[in-house]
Amino acid sequence: MNGQFRYLTNLETSFKMVRWMAIIAVVGSLAFALGVAYWAFAEVSASRQKVYVLDNGKSIMVALAQEQNINRPAEAKDHIKTFHRLFFTLEPDEKQVEGNIREATYLGDRSVVRLYQDLQEAGYYGQLIQGNVHQKVEIEKVEVNFSQSPYRVVTSGRQLLIRANNITIRKLVTECYLIDVARTDNNPHGFMIERFKVVQNQDIETVQRSNQTSNL
């Protein structure tokens, strides 16, 4: 009788062990499945944040969309500097002037075209070419207000008119607004300049070429 009792006890213990092993196996499988699902979800989310850009058909660069947003203020300032360089840095060459202005108009709206037309009608570009004047711009400060769209921008710097005998230095201050647009080959930063105007552009100094300082 005691032997039979021990047999039943051992059998019950074995069933309990099998049951616990089955429970552990099921829990382990569920935990593994959940871990794999979480890893897959994280990988998909990360891949959606990546933008693949074809670099001249030769290589592929990966840029994180989040990092693009972080760099947006720097892109805005570079957009403004690029525009000013194209619009205000000119050589006494009609084709160079037309080429620079054409590239500048891709970065701005109709206000940029109107300013160019006003200067052209006033004979400004003709005087540069006839006088063999090299015009150069040096940007000193770009202030962009990102608190509200369109973003107000105030740019200040110096405009240099370089002639054979002297250099005229002008104080240049401009104002405009920036809006976000689609990126293109002609507008890689994805900004558009609106309501562009020259706030200040007056002579502050004329330096003789023989006495010019090294930083001009």
Side-chain angles (χ1 to χ4, degrees), residues 157-199:
R158 302 192 307 170
Q159 185 178 357
L160 281 63
L161 300 177
I162 305 172
R163 302 180 180 87
N165 298 323
N166 59 56
I167 298 177
T168 299
I169 305 172
R170 293 178 176 173
K171 176 67 175 179
L172 178 65
V173 180
T174 67
E175 180 185 273
C176 67
Y177 291 83
L178 282 180
I179 60 171
D180 295 286
V181 296
R183 298 173 188 266
T184 66
D185 290 341
N186 294 317
N187 188 350
H189 292 121
F191 284 109
M192 180 63 64
I193 294 173
E194 293 186 332
R195 290 174 276 172
F196 181 80
K197 64 179 180 179
V198 177
V199 178

Side-chain angles (χ1 to χ4, degrees), residues 51-55 58-62:
V51 179
Y52 294 87
V53 183
L54 190 63
D55 183 20
K58 297 180 181 179
S59 63
I60 293 182
M61 301 178 297
V62 180

Side-chain angles (χ1 to χ4, degrees), residues 19-37:
R19 184 172 61 205
W20 277 110
M21 290 179 64
I23 292 174
I24 292 172
V26 171
V27 172
S29 298
L30 288 175
F32 178 77
L34 289 174
V36 171

Side-chain angles (χ1 to χ4, degrees), residues 84-92 96 100 124 128 133-139 157-163 167-172 201 212-216:
H84 281 75
R85 176 182 57 79
L86 290 170
F87 196 89
F88 292 103
T89 298
L90 304 172
E91 299 295 330
Q96 190 272 346
N100 269 29
Y124 183 79
L128 287 180
V133 180
H134 302 263
Q135 180 173 290
K136 180 181 178 182
V137 67
E138 296 179 349
I139 301 301
R158 302 192 307 170
Q159 185 178 357
L160 281 63
L161 300 177
I162 305 172
R163 302 180 180 87
I167 298 177
T168 299
I169 305 172
R170 293 178 176 173
K171 176 67 175 179
L172 178 65
N201 188 19
Q212 65 179 350
T213 57
S214 59
N215 64 338
L216 295 178

Side-chain angles (χ1 to χ4, degrees), residues 100-118:
N100 269 29
I101 298 301
R102 182 174 58 254
E103 290 186 44
T105 56
Y106 287 120
L107 309 181
D109 68 355
R110 185 66 185 173
S111 62
V112 175
V113 178
R114 283 197 301 267
L115 178 58
Y116 166 68
Q117 291 174 340
D118 290 342

